[in-house]
Amino acid sequence: MKKLLSISLALLMGLTAVGCSNSTPSNSASPAPAEGGEGKVLNVWTWNTEFWGFLGKYYADEVVDEYTLKKGDVTIKRTTYPSDDGAYQNALDEALLNQATAADDDKIDLFLAEADYIVKYTNSDATMDVKSIGVTDFSNTYQYTVQAASDAKGTVKGVSFQCCPAALIYRRSIAQDVIGTDDPAAVQAAVADWDKFNQVAADAKDKGYYMIATTNATYRVYSNNTTSPWVKDNKLSIDPNIEKWMDQSEEFVKNGYTAYTSNIWGDEATSEMFGSGKTMCYFGPAWYFNFSMTNAQDKEKGCFGDWAICQGPQPFFWGGTWMLAATGTDNPEMVADIMNTFINNEEVCEGLVKNEAQFSNNQKINNKYASDPTFGNEFLGGQNDTAIFAELAKNIKFQNVTQYDQLCNEGLQKYFTEFLDGEVATREDAINNFKDFIKNKYPSITVE
Amino acid sequence: MSVKKVSGNKSVSYARYGYLFILPFFVVYAIFTLYPQMLTIYNSFFEYYRDGLTIVGPNFVGMKNYVALFTKNSSGYIPLFKFLGNTVWLWLLGAVPQFVIAMMLAIFFTSTRLNIRGQQFFKTVIYMPNLIMASAFSMLFFALFSQVGPINQLLVEMGVIDKAFNFLGVRVTVQSLIALMNFLMWFGNTTILLMAGIQGIDESLFESARLDGSNATQVFFNITMPLLMPIFIYVLITSMIGGIQMFDVPQVLTNGIGTPNNTSMTLIMYLNNFLGTSKNYGMAGAVSVLLFIITAILSTFVFKTINKK
């Protein structure tokens, strides 16, 4: 037995040695093909699978498994952390701070970031100038997507594969019942401002429906139309428009216009998206209804095709996923190639619009479909959403953003919800709880 | 066994082998426990955190972190005291039923008069919840008790309530759920430890008590309890230390913010808030040091008072 063991061990060692001697010369002997300096592993960091899905479908040669793709002889690996409570940011920060000492194959090459915190990364040395690696043509992208990915000096650090003007997404059948029509133009006229919106909410209540699934559903509309940032000169301030959201939420709960007060991603709010749901309105960009409204798209319980979009009471945009090039990447060419593919490769951008119901970051392609009378989105009952988004995209201004926005937005909603649920006595108490939360999370911010 | 005797003064000391054998523990303890503990105390005197990708500090600030901990927050209370109160309250809610039930079960299972069959089976079953990871258990309850979860559906369908109840948004239910989970997870463990303790008591004592005509209550208070005391104190103290460190169950159930109105925020959740985003080693260190002191005082106090009798 011992003998057998030692023989097999010896054999194993021999094999390993052969393996080494085989691979070493072949690497050094055949000097660099086109991308010879490139690493064999491309690490992509994400907080969900939206972009990863497109990367597998439109860029990679082969989808190996849920976490691995192949492009040529390069393996693309995904690392994912959930976004909630800043978990993704925390993990990413840790990894980026250790980037310099990480082995080449463990280095982050490309990571995704959201509007809520992208400035943290663009304004640091952790990201690099993408023009220097060959992403130079921004002629077709939307201006705000470039601005958002640029640092204070205007150096572009990444690109977005989508443009995210957002709209009011409504259930056609309920609108038919409440407003008497499901025509987007007529519905828009009925909800053109917040006063009208609230009036429709009252009508919906009378007919046994809810205007919104949760009070947090309208949050982004208000928070995207603020006139001041969350944090200025290290001081936390609550914008008047956020106060308006609180007013509306309080009123909606009091009058029973909302189904829940919960988190928009939670089971409560999303259960209203099923066909049996009684909620008329949701708010969001293209990614919201094609990636986050999966309950509505459910073949059996959903209500595919019973939806439509219009601008809603106030124009806004929400999120967007940017790809940023990590400093220290050993695959700069592939990083640039991916970025170029998703903004300038017309075939890919057309695929995103046509097959994925995305609103791409290529104006030329978007406009082509926007003006195509035969083009329509099945989920929206054949409505041409691209035409509406192309119009809404003109309003987008990337302003009043700070690196603290994610936790400020999440925190305010969580703590204000406690007040709406009646467990916190006054609005001031809820705001104080929120301030304490921010103070604990960010020692550099002063709250009064 | 023969004891080796060596004549004269030149006795061979076997003690050094003993030291050798316990050395691994001390090495591991020093590296993984003592050193980090010292580092924590050291860090608690520094301003040391991250602002985004920028590292601030470490700058020596003396007692500033401790002063900050005892300063009232925007809501007008000292967070440390409130969260300590929460922690103790949540622990008591779970621990009192846990000890009562565990003690009852331990007595039933060890009683030679009852002689319950299938003990092995019951012991396994009651211990089972402890095998599930606390966070997974909490996640399960989160899904079960959500407004669209099965519990609400069941209650509505049975006509107990006419509209889904927000279990996870109301103080009483949130705290009860946390206590229930802690109870479920730990009563099996306590039962088994107490059983071991009771089985260690000489059976003849019970027998003679019964022959003298004492009833079950008398046996419990005059024989079982006094003789079980050392084990009972041990179980109580470990439970208390575990309770002070309560974290995963409320953290997951309340999305990390101790809903509602910070009434389920425990000390460790408070500590975690400093660490998660900004890696605030200074403040977190100060909380840890205070936690260490509190735990030490509590343990000594309980040990002293119970041991006196």
Side-chain angles (χ1 to χ4, degrees):
Chain A
M1 187 63 206
K2 241 182 189 169
K3 215 173 208 174
L4 197 75
L5 203 73
S6 55
I7 289 174
S8 56
L9 265 177
L11 268 175
L12 211 70
M13 280 163 73
L15 271 177
T16 332
V18 171
C20 289
S21 59
N22 263 353
S23 59
T24 326
S26 72
N27 267 357
S28 51
S30 59
E35 41 190 50
E38 295 270 296
K40 289 279 166 274
V41 178
L42 183 92
N43 287 304
V44 179
W45 279 52
T46 77
W47 67 88
N48 65 22
T49 56
E50 188 194 22
F51 174 69
W52 181 256
F54 300 146
L55 195 64
K57 200 166 166 186
Y58 295 101
Y59 185 77
D61 299 331
E62 185 197 344
V63 178
V64 181
D65 60 42
E66 232 184 303
Y67 291 91
T68 326
L69 303 173
K70 277 256 179 213
K71 171 81 175 175
D73 56 353
V74 177
T75 307
I76 306 178
K77 283 189 185 160
R78 166 163 75 98
T79 305
T80 299
Y81 286 87
S83 165
D84 196 41
D85 202 23
Y88 174 67
Q89 287 189 61
N90 297 346
L92 189 59
D93 291 356
E94 196 68 35
L96 287 174
L97 287 170
N98 293 323
Q99 177 89 333
T101 50
D104 277 356
D105 282 352
D106 296 332
K107 279 190 166 74
I108 301 178
D109 297 293
L110 184 73
F111 65 91
L112 305 187
E114 212 183 13
D116 271 359
Y117 50 80
I118 189 172
V119 286
K120 174 161 86 182
Y121 300 109
T122 51
N123 280 326
S124 84
D125 295 332
T127 50
M128 59 181 192
D129 184 358
V130 292
K131 283 184 178 158
S132 72
I133 56 172
V135 185
T136 49
D137 182 6
F138 301 105
S139 56
N140 280 321
T141 56
Y142 290 86
Q143 173 51 30
Y144 96 95
T145 66
V146 181
Q147 186 202 339
S150 306
D151 66 8
K153 287 179 230 132
T155 312
V156 189
K157 304 286 194 77
V159 302
S160 174
F161 69 96
Q162 56 189 187
C163 172
C164 298
L168 182 144
I169 306 158
Y170 62 91
R171 257 312 259 287
R172 281 176 186 269
S173 54
I174 298 179
Q176 192 70 261
D177 213 5
V178 175
I179 307 174
T181 171
D182 68 346
D183 176 60
V187 172
Q188 173 56 29
V191 296
D193 57 47
W194 286 116
D195 287 337
K196 288 183 176 170
F197 182 82
N198 295 350
Q199 188 49 49
V200 175
D203 297 345
K205 165 89 193 295
D206 291 342
K207 301 250 167 150
Y209 296 108
Y210 297 112
M211 192 62 173
I212 47 179
T214 161
T215 38
N216 293 325
T218 55
Y219 178 81
R220 289 282 173 173
V221 192
Y222 285 96
S223 75
N224 195 240
N225 281 299
T226 53
T227 48
S228 61
W230 270 115
V231 179
K232 197 177 180 189
D233 302 326
N234 287 332
K235 240 186 98 202
L236 180 77
S237 73
I238 294 172
D239 192 87
N241 222 38
I242 301 287
E243 302 270 2
K244 280 189 194 163
W245 169 75
M246 297 185 196
D247 295 338
Q248 190 206 37
S249 298
E250 223 179 310
E251 196 192 320
F252 269 45
V253 170
K254 199 176 76 200
N255 297 335
Y257 297 164
T258 177
Y260 298 102
T261 52
S262 54
N263 182 331
I264 48 165
W265 311 110
D267 289 344
E268 285 89 356
T270 51
S271 72
E272 281 291 309
M273 293 172 186
F274 284 126
S276 57
K278 296 223 161 300
T279 298
M280 179 166 140
C281 301
Y282 289 85
F283 289 88
W287 60 256
Y288 188 74
F289 60 75
N290 62 40
F291 185 72
S292 303
M293 288 180 71
T294 44
N295 284 351
Q297 295 174 0
D298 193 288
K299 284 266 166 352
E300 278 162 24
K301 290 153 77 185
C303 40
F304 193 90
D306 191 25
W307 299 88
I309 59 168
C310 63
Q311 177 184 311
Q314 226 175 345
F316 74 111
F317 78 95
W318 181 10
T321 301
W322 279 265
M323 314 168 225
L324 298 174
T327 306
T329 170
D330 57 332
N331 299 67
E333 283 182 31
M334 187 175 254
V335 168
D337 191 30
I338 291 175
M339 290 183 176
N340 277 322
T341 304
F342 281 94
I343 57 171
N344 288 326
N345 184 324
E346 298 196 349
E347 210 177 304
V348 170
C349 292
E350 275 196 44
L352 288 177
V353 176
K354 218 165 47 184
N355 311 331
E356 318 296 340
Q358 279 279 333
F359 187 66
S360 80
N361 194 7
N362 186 311
Q363 300 196 38
K364 193 175 152 199
I365 300 300
N366 287 345
N367 291 339
K368 176 182 159 192
Y369 282 97
S371 56
D372 180 352
T374 60
F375 181 69
N377 185 335
E378 298 278 303
F379 177 73
L380 302 173
Q383 185 187 12
N384 187 339
D385 53 336
T386 309
I388 294 195
F389 285 133
E391 208 44 51
L392 292 175
K394 292 173 186 162
N395 301 321
I396 299 181
K397 287 188 197 76
F398 192 78
Q399 58 190 13
N400 297 329
V401 288
T402 72
Q403 59 167 314
Y404 310 109
D405 291 356
Q406 188 192 355
L407 290 191
C408 288
N409 288 327
E410 282 182 11
L412 188 92
Q413 292 179 62
K414 283 182 187 174
Y415 285 104
F416 192 68
T417 298
E418 294 187 349
F419 165 66
L420 295 175
D421 288 344
E423 285 289 313
V424 173
T426 65
R427 188 194 278 200
E428 281 62 45
D429 290 346
I431 291 173
N432 283 334
N433 282 341
F434 164 65
K435 285 179 179 169
D436 292 332
F437 167 79
I438 291 297
K439 182 75 206 143
N440 288 348
K441 289 282 187 184
Y442 296 115
S444 56
I445 299 179
T446 49
V447 300
E448 63 215 28
Chain B
M1 281 246 208
S2 66
V3 180
K4 212 171 189 178
K5 279 182 185 163
V6 180
S7 57
N9 299 338
K10 286 184 178 175
S11 63
V12 176
S13 170
Y14 288 99
R16 61 195 168 111
Y17 293 111
Y19 289 128
L20 211 62
F21 283 130
I22 58 172
L23 185 67
F25 167 76
F26 282 98
V27 170
V28 169
Y29 175 80
I31 296 175
F32 293 104
T33 309
L34 195 64
Y35 172 67
Q37 268 172 350
M38 293 302 148
L39 205 61
T40 305
I41 297 172
Y42 178 77
N43 274 329
S44 72
F45 298 107
F46 285 81
E47 177 190 53
Y48 189 15
Y49 64 86
R50 259 186 227 160
D51 186 24
L53 291 165
T54 324
I55 294 169
V56 179
N59 307 316
F60 183 75
V61 290
M63 298 298 283
K64 205 179 139 205
N65 291 331
Y66 291 92
V67 173
L69 277 184
F70 289 101
T71 311
K72 280 187 180 168
N73 62 10
S74 304
S75 304
Y77 56 79
I78 295 169
L80 192 76
F81 292 159
K82 171 156 175 155
F83 302 149
L84 177 65
N86 287 347
T87 313
V88 173
W89 172 240
L90 286 172
W91 172 70
L92 278 175
L93 276 182
V96 171
Q98 174 190 326
F99 275 90
V100 172
I101 304 273
M103 186 60 93
M104 272 168 53
L105 288 173
I107 289 173
F108 292 159
F109 282 142
T110 49
S111 164
T112 42
R113 285 171 74 194
L114 288 173
N115 204 7
I116 296 174
R117 281 162 188 276
Q119 276 203 28
Q120 219 50 45
F121 171 75
F122 288 118
K123 272 192 250 174
T124 315
V125 169
I126 59 175
Y127 195 80
M128 210 69 104
N130 204 303
L131 299 179
I132 310 173
M133 217 166 33
S135 49
F137 202 47
S138 198
M139 203 65 229
L140 179 76
F141 268 62
F142 186 83
L144 279 177
F145 285 89
S146 99
Q147 287 183 72
V148 289
I151 301 283
N152 260 315
Q153 280 176 11
L154 206 70
L155 290 175
V156 170
E157 240 154 71
M158 280 164 40
V160 181
I161 46 179
D162 53 350
K163 193 179 182 292
F165 184 75
N166 191 1
F167 284 103
L168 302 174
V170 177
R171 175 184 170 160
V172 182
T173 44
V174 172
Q175 293 191 339
S176 309
L177 284 175
I178 293 169
L180 177 67
M181 271 184 276
N182 279 322
F183 164 74
L184 280 177
M185 273 173 37
W186 291 104
F187 85 103
N189 187 57
T190 314
T191 307
I192 285 168
L193 286 172
L194 292 177
M195 271 174 72
I198 295 174
Q199 277 163 346
I201 301 171
D202 194 345
E203 182 61 33
S204 60
L205 290 171
F206 293 111
E207 236 167 82
S208 54
R210 259 181 257 136
L211 285 174
D212 287 344
S214 53
N215 60 26
T217 325
Q218 285 170 323
V219 171
F220 176 73
F221 283 109
N222 296 318
I223 297 182
T224 318
M225 217 41 212
L227 290 171
L228 188 62
M229 224 18 133
I231 299 286
F232 188 80
I233 294 170
Y234 166 76
V235 179
L236 190 67
I237 290 177
T238 42
S239 163
M240 198 146 77
I241 293 172
I244 288 281
Q245 297 176 352
M246 193 187 301
F247 171 64
D248 23 22
V249 168
Q251 170 82 11
V252 173
L253 196 73
T254 67
N255 271 322
I257 63 163
T259 38
N261 204 10
N262 288 324
T263 50
S264 309
M265 178 78 92
T266 67
L267 275 179
I268 303 285
M269 287 167 72
Y270 179 54
L271 174 85
N272 185 56
N273 265 342
F274 287 119
L275 278 181
T277 305
S278 52
K279 300 272 179 291
N280 194 344
Y281 296 119
M283 287 298 279
V287 177
S288 309
V289 170
L290 289 173
L291 209 62
F292 174 71
I293 296 171
I294 293 166
T295 316
I297 292 174
L298 280 180
S299 308
T300 340
F301 178 72
V302 171
F303 199 76
K304 281 265 158 72
T305 48
I306 300 185
N307 242 6
K308 240 181 229 165
K309 286 180 185 173

